Amino acid sequence: SVGGQVAGVFILRNFIEDIPKELFESAQLDGAGHLQQIRHIILPLSASIISVTCIMDFLGSWNNTILPLLLLRDDQLLTIPVGLFRLDGEYVKQYGQLMAGYAISSVPLLIIFLFSMKFFVKGLSAGAVKG
C-alpha cells in the first residue's frame, strides 16, 4: 500500500540522517565513492531498520483485504484474509474452521518474525536510545 511505502521511506530517511557524517567524510577521504559508501556504511548499519520496514510492509500486504475482495471473483484465487472474511457467515459462525484458518494463516508471519527477530529487536532498541 502507498501509506506503508511512505512510512518506510520516512523511517529509513530519518535513520540514515542520524548516521554520523564523519563516517562518510572518512570514507570519502579513503577514496570511496557514493555507491561504496552506501555498500560499506549505510547497508551494514541499517540492516535492522530495513528488516523492520520489510516486516511492516509484508504485514501490510498480507493483511490487505479490500483490494483482493474487490478484484478477485474466483474462489480459487482468493487470498487468505479474504477467504477467512468470506468464511465468516452472517448468521451461522463456524468457529472451528475460522480458528483453524486463522492459525494456519499466522504461520508465515511467525516464520518471518522468527528469522528476523534479532534485527527487529535491534531496530526497536536503536530508536529508543540516543547516544
Side-chain angles (χ1 to χ4, degrees):
S1 74
V2 174
Q5 291 173 354
V6 170
V9 167
F10 182 72
I11 290 169
L12 285 171
R13 180 188 174 276
N14 286 338
F15 185 84
I16 291 171
E17 267 190 359
D18 287 341
I19 296 175
K21 304 293 184 236
E22 291 82 13
L23 290 174
F24 297 108
E25 291 171 359
S26 64
Q28 194 171 18
L29 286 175
D30 289 340
H34 291 296
L35 291 177
Q36 289 175 332
Q37 291 176 12
I38 290 171
R39 186 171 153 223
H40 295 292
I41 297 173
I42 293 176
L43 288 179
L45 290 176
S46 60
S48 60
I49 202 74
I50 289 173
S51 74
V52 169
T53 55
C54 287
I55 290 171
M56 288 175 21
D57 195 33
F58 180 78
L59 282 174
S61 298
W62 184 260
N63 291 330
N64 190 2
T65 306
I66 300 299
L67 188 63
L69 184 64
L70 292 174
L71 297 179
L72 298 176
R73 297 290 174 217
D74 187 9
D75 286 342
Q76 300 295 326
L77 299 176
L78 290 179
T79 60
I80 292 175
V82 176
L84 290 171
F85 181 72
R86 286 197 178 169
L87 187 64
D88 191 14
E90 186 175 343
Y91 299 110
V92 178
K93 304 264 188 219
Q94 299 172 343
Y95 288 109
Q97 293 176 350
L98 276 173
M99 293 302 130
Y102 287 132
I104 291 171
S105 70
S106 67
V107 169
L109 301 174
L110 289 172
I111 290 171
I112 287 177
F113 183 73
L114 288 175
F115 282 118
S116 61
M117 183 172 48
K118 175 180 73 169
F119 295 118
F120 186 75
V121 172
K122 186 177 174 185
L124 289 176
S125 63
V129 178
K130 277 296 229 197

